[in-house]
Amino acid sequence: MSSRSSSSSSRASKSSDDEIKELVLKLQPLLPQLHHLRNAPVSASSILEETCSYIKRLHREVEDLSKRLSELLDSAGITDVDEELIRTLLRH
């Protein structure tokens, strides 16, 4: 490997590392558990772990809300509901 190729690879790696660090730092204020630590140093691994946990909690919440909506529709006697229409309404 030539020194030019090695140097180019090193710059690309540094640039990529910087981008990853920047993206990880952008996650911190989006996480409720870490939002209050905005100016405190938090490790990238902690931020990524919390991000994964938060996404899992959000998925569970969506599943619970979907189940609850289905139960409400059933209890109201609404059986022939267009699922796509409901999804569209919930997005707005």
Side-chain angles (χ1 to χ4, degrees):
M1 183 188 248
S2 72
S3 64
R4 180 178 287 185
S5 175
S6 176
S7 150
S8 175
S9 175
S10 176
R11 276 192 304 256
S13 177
K14 172 120 175 77
S15 176
S16 180
D17 288 348
D18 291 344
E19 288 174 13
I20 291 169
K21 288 176 186 175
E22 183 178 325
L23 291 170
V24 167
L25 290 175
K26 286 181 179 181
L27 285 172
Q28 185 175 351
L30 301 175
L31 302 168
Q33 284 74 7
L34 299 178
H35 182 71
H36 66 284
L37 300 174
R38 179 173 258 170
N39 295 324
V42 180
S43 71
S45 64
S46 294
I47 293 171
L48 292 173
E49 283 179 27
E50 185 54 40
T51 300
C52 292
S53 295
Y54 186 54
I55 290 170
K56 288 176 185 176
R57 283 192 303 273
L58 289 174
H59 276 288
R60 282 192 302 270
E61 188 174 335
V62 167
E63 289 173 5
D64 291 345
L65 290 171
S66 294
K67 182 179 176 185
R68 179 72 177 131
L69 177 60
S70 178
E71 291 169 355
L72 288 171
L73 291 172
D74 287 346
S75 70
I78 302 171
T79 55
D80 289 337
V81 175
D82 183 358
E83 289 184 29
E84 191 57 40
L85 175 63
I86 291 174
R87 285 190 183 101
T88 301
L89 292 171
L90 292 175
R91 285 186 197 125
H92 297 293

